[in-house]
Amino acid sequence: TGRLKLFNLKTMSSSDSSSSSSSSSARRKKLRKKKEKRAKDGKNKKAKKAKKGKKEKKVKSAKAKLKEKEKKAREKAGLAGSVTAQYGTYGLINVEDVYRKRPEFHAWLMEVKQQKPEQMAPSEEKKMFIDFVEDYNTATFPLEKYYDLEKWDTMQQIKRAKKTKPEQKQGGFLHFDDEKSRKLEQEKEKQKRKEQEVQKQVARLRGDREKLDEMRHNNELHARMEMLFKAGKVEEAKEIQRRLTEGESRHAKFRDLQ
């Protein structure tokens, strides 16, 4: 009996020791996993912080470059004798004003940049408009016409009406003193033809702008009409439908007359 008790005690002691060793191993394994997870989380946080820092640095660099570019443009304008070097003198625009300023933008493209808008790819035109916005905001255009073409046209018409012609007529023909006068007259005629071409382009663009505004308005009416039908407001929806139909009929008659 004594031997049996001794054997049982040894067995229990061995079992407790094994259980304790297993539990200790499990705890160490758990602690190791926690440590690895904290290290991984720390790395991820550092990576995110570094990425955010790079992004902020890039944005700051872009803003700094834009400010430097605008500063140089203003300085250049002051040295070159442009209209003015004061920022925002004619107001401020952004890339969303591309439709509102299209006549001025196209005139600038044709006369200053020697580019034909109808031959440009959309991406290239978009890039050029960014340059146009910069020159507009920094007031560095060579002529005031590129800020407000309609206002400039009116001023030019008033000037032409007041201006007296210096040439004298002899027998129905203009009399030129020398070769220089003939060249000057030819240059005037060339500039006049160029301005007429620009005016035609501007008139076409204004017509396009009106069509675009009308299309937007009709789209808004269509959307409202559908909402009213869904809401059960049939009478209001039919009234909008009638207005749209009448507008389409007028356009059809106008096209037939053309």
Side-chain angles (χ1 to χ4, degrees), residues 153-184:
D153 286 341
T154 304
M155 290 173 63
Q156 290 300 111
Q157 288 173 8
I158 293 170
K159 285 181 181 179
R160 282 195 291 267
K162 290 181 179 179
K163 189 177 179 181
T164 55
K165 296 183 179 180
E167 298 90 349
Q168 296 179 352
K169 292 188 177 181
Q170 292 184 354
F173 295 96
L174 288 174
H175 175 69
F176 297 95
D177 294 332
D178 50 23
E179 185 66 22
K180 186 177 179 181
S181 298
R182 278 195 292 273
K183 286 183 179 180
L184 183 62

Side-chain angles (χ1 to χ4, degrees), residues 39 46 48 95 113 157 186 192 209 222 226 228 252:
K46 285 182 180 179
K48 285 181 181 178
V95 292
K113 298 297 182 180
Q157 288 173 8
Q186 288 172 359
K192 186 178 177 182
R209 182 190 289 176
H222 274 292
E226 290 176 4
L228 289 170

Side-chain angles (χ1 to χ4, degrees), residues 105-117:
F105 172 50
H106 280 198
W108 174 78
L109 276 177
M110 289 186 290
E111 296 179 0
V112 179
K113 298 297 182 180
Q114 304 298 316
Q115 298 282 344
K116 292 183 179 180

Side-chain angles (χ1 to χ4, degrees), residues 50-62:
K51 189 175 180 181
K52 188 178 178 182
K54 284 181 180 179
K55 190 175 181 181
E56 289 176 352
K57 190 176 179 181
K58 192 175 181 182
V59 171
K60 286 180 181 178
S61 178

